[in-house]
Amino acid sequence: MADARHERVPVGFRVVTPATPFERRVERVVRRIPAGQVASYGRVAEWVGQPDGARAVGGVMARSLDGVPWHRVVTAAGRLVPGHEVDHAERLRAEGVRVARGHVADPIPWWPGPRTRRPAR
């Protein structure tokens, strides 16, 4: 039997490795960002308990599965993903976000973040 690491993947299919707890937390938060708003990699990292994890959040977004709105995550300065600015801008514009010269235009529609629910009294 062939080693699973060396099997060929048919064209059109994607190998999905089990997500780590960190990746699941990031994807869960990013799925909550409403259309028309954005969050920074650093803020997402803070919200999932990894305040120094902005680059790791970027890595998760680069590998994210379908259904994760990766385009709603930008740099703290509002810059779009280098090398993917056109796709990133098109997706944001489709949601009503103004984009100019590779950045989200001022005023940036920052998402205030996930709100924790207060226990019922």
Side-chain angles (χ1 to χ4, degrees), residues 9 13-17 65:
V9 177
F13 286 85
R14 198 159 89 172
V15 175
V16 178
T17 57
L65 299 174

Side-chain angles (χ1 to χ4, degrees), residues 23-113:
E23 290 170 330
R24 285 192 298 272
R25 289 192 312 269
V26 168
E27 288 184 352
R28 193 175 314 123
V29 166
V30 171
R31 280 189 175 103
R32 293 180 63 189
I33 302 170
Q37 295 184 358
V38 296
S40 72
Y41 296 100
R43 294 293 287 168
V44 171
E46 289 174 14
W47 294 329
V48 299
Q50 297 287 328
D52 295 329
R55 284 178 164 237
V57 169
V60 173
M61 292 296 90
R63 297 183 303 275
S64 65
L65 299 174
D66 295 335
V68 177
W70 61 269
H71 59 282
R72 295 180 188 154
V73 184
V74 297
T75 69
R79 185 166 182 221
L80 307 183
V81 177
H84 298 278
E85 291 98 347
V86 173
D87 187 31
H88 204 163
E90 286 176 1
R91 289 171 183 255
L92 287 172
R93 284 185 183 121
E95 295 182 353
V97 176
R98 292 184 18 230
V99 178
R101 293 184 219 100
H103 287 77
V104 175
D106 284 328
I108 298 175
W110 293 115
W111 181 49

